[in-house]
Structures are given as C-alpha cells and as structure tokens.
Amino acid sequence: MAPISSVILKDDRFRNAGISEAEWKVRVDLAAFYRLSALYGWDDFIYTHISARVPGPEHHFLINPFGLMFDEITASSLVKVDLDGNVIGDSDYGINYAGYVIHSAIHGARDDAHYIAHFHSADGMAVSAHAEGLLPLNQRALALIPRLSYHDYEGVALNLDERERLVADLGDTKVMLLRNHGTLALGASPGEAFSGIYHLEEACKAQVRTLSVGRDRILIAPEEAQEEVRRQISRERQPVEGARSHYDLVWDAALRKAQRQSPGFDA
C-alpha cells in the first residue's frame, strides 16, 4: 500500500487555490499529526497547535483553524499564514493568535523546523511546573534530558517580543518544556517532530506516575548510567545506504494508525 502522504491532489479546487502537490502532501501529513495527537490524548479542546512549513520560498506555514477540534482537522481545512500572521487564501476560521506567536517565532528562526507541535497535556503541564523539570527517572527521560531546553513563563503568548527570548532559550534543541505551560517539539520531518513530542509526553507521564507514590525512595538513575546514555545518544547513527530512516519508519507506522482509527484526514 502506498504511504498515505503520497495521495495525489486531484481536486481542481485546490489547484485553482494555488495549492501544489508538495503543499498537499504536507497538508495530509499535518492533518494526520492532528488526528494522531487526539488519539493519544494530547489535544486541548480547540486550543494548542501543530504547524508545518509550506514548501517554497514564501515562508508560509500551515496551522489549525481556530474553532475545530483536533479530530476534525482535514488537509483542506488547515489555514495557511505568513510570518506576519496574515491568512493566505480563504478560510471559514481564523487562527489562535498565541499559536501564531509561538510557531512563527520558531519557523522564522530555524531552517530545520518544518513541523512544530505544542501541547497543554496534563502531564506535560505538571512537569513543566516542577522546579527540577524532567528528572532522570527512566530511560526515556535520560535520552531526552541532554537535548531538552526550557523557556520561563511570561504569560499567555500574545506579546511578539517574547519570540526572541523563546528562540534564544530553544537554541539548537528540538524538544522544550515551556514552564508552567506545556510541551513543544520540532523536526525536519513529521516523523521527527512526532517522535520528539511522543517521547517528551511519555517521559512526563512516567514522571508524574512515579512521583505520585511519593519522593522518598524514588531511584534517580546513577550518574555513571546518565553519562553513558549521553555518550550513546551523542554518537551519530550512520544510515545504511538505501535504508529508510528511523523517523520515516515511525511516521509510516503513525500514518497507518491514523488511517485505521481516524480516517478522513486526507480530505
């Protein structure tokens, strides 16, 4: 079976609206990302957001229409905006301005930020409010901690001048905890961004469950083991020629799940 993201754009409505085959592929992947996030329980009613850069030189990106829930998102319902927040084309909905502030900051600053996910999950918010942040309690957290950044809470993300500080705190990392706020991950592909947010959300969930039994006698991973994990994840994995990347495999599996459990995202 061909990957879902290879669905060919056949409707002249979209061609006439200036949507290329390359943009349609991104739309399908992004709509699937929204549906998957709803399936995993990372959505927050009509709030929070996932965005994707539109191929081409215009620096446009796609984001959810403000008013639809994640499990209602389709490829054609996504809203295209520029870095100044102007909606490109027709849409029955506007966008969440706080989402624009956060996503435009990162899309504008990071060439590798093709997909960005930001959530307000209960566990993500809980760990973001923990003074020690993500703790070295399990293997998943150990792999994330060396490449995890933090951004202090400044209020609802409505102030454009926060973008500079957000980008500075993000640095060259791809996973972040926004203090007192939630989680964020980015990637050069949907598979990389999905993998990043999945592991961060699961690490937060594990920490909340672990600490629910009390802090006494909780095992922090030995420092030697933490250092070994840092060495292990710092080694570049050389892909085998002709082999698919880890993130490609992740995303193909995720797309199959979306097709089984939340069909219609590619409409």
Side-chain angles (χ1 to χ4, degrees), residues 55-75:
E58 296 86 0
H59 301 290
H60 295 161
F61 64 92
L62 299 164
I63 199 164
N64 50 318
F66 190 45
L68 295 185
M69 298 181 72
F70 278 21
D71 61 2
E72 297 178 293
I73 299 293
T74 62

Side-chain angles (χ1 to χ4, degrees), residues 46-49 63-67 94-103 120 156-158:
I46 64 170
Y47 309 105
T48 69
H49 2 81
I63 199 164
N64 50 318
F66 190 45
I95 62 170
N96 184 322
Y97 187 75
Y100 157 72
V101 171
I102 293 170
H103 290 255
H120 298 161
V156 179
L158 301 177

Side-chain angles (χ1 to χ4, degrees), residues 138-233:
N138 55 70
Q139 181 168 273
R140 196 186 303 273
L142 290 175
L144 283 170
I145 288 170
R147 50 196 181 92
L148 177 67
S149 56
Y150 294 85
H151 175 63
D152 287 340
Y153 188 63
E154 300 186 20
V156 179
L158 301 177
N159 300 320
L160 291 177
D161 61 358
E162 185 179 353
R163 294 189 294 183
E164 183 177 348
R165 294 182 291 278
L166 173 64
V167 167
D169 289 338
L170 183 65
D172 62 358
T173 68
K174 294 186 176 181
V175 283
M176 172 178 260
L177 281 172
L178 295 104
R179 290 294 196 176
N180 309 102
H181 190 170
T183 56
L184 184 144
L186 64 92
S189 67
E192 184 177 24
F194 184 82
S195 181
I197 202 69
Y198 173 85
H199 289 297
L200 182 56
E201 288 288 345
E202 288 297 306
C204 289
K205 182 193 297 183
Q207 177 162 319
V208 170
R209 292 187 181 185
T210 302
L211 296 183
S212 70
V213 299
R215 185 64 184 265
D216 292 343
R217 302 182 68 81
I218 291 296
L219 291 175
I220 297 292
E223 183 55 45
E224 296 82 1
Q226 294 185 45
E227 180 58 34
E228 176 60 17
V229 173
R230 283 191 286 270
R231 285 194 296 268
Q232 290 171 333
I233 66 173

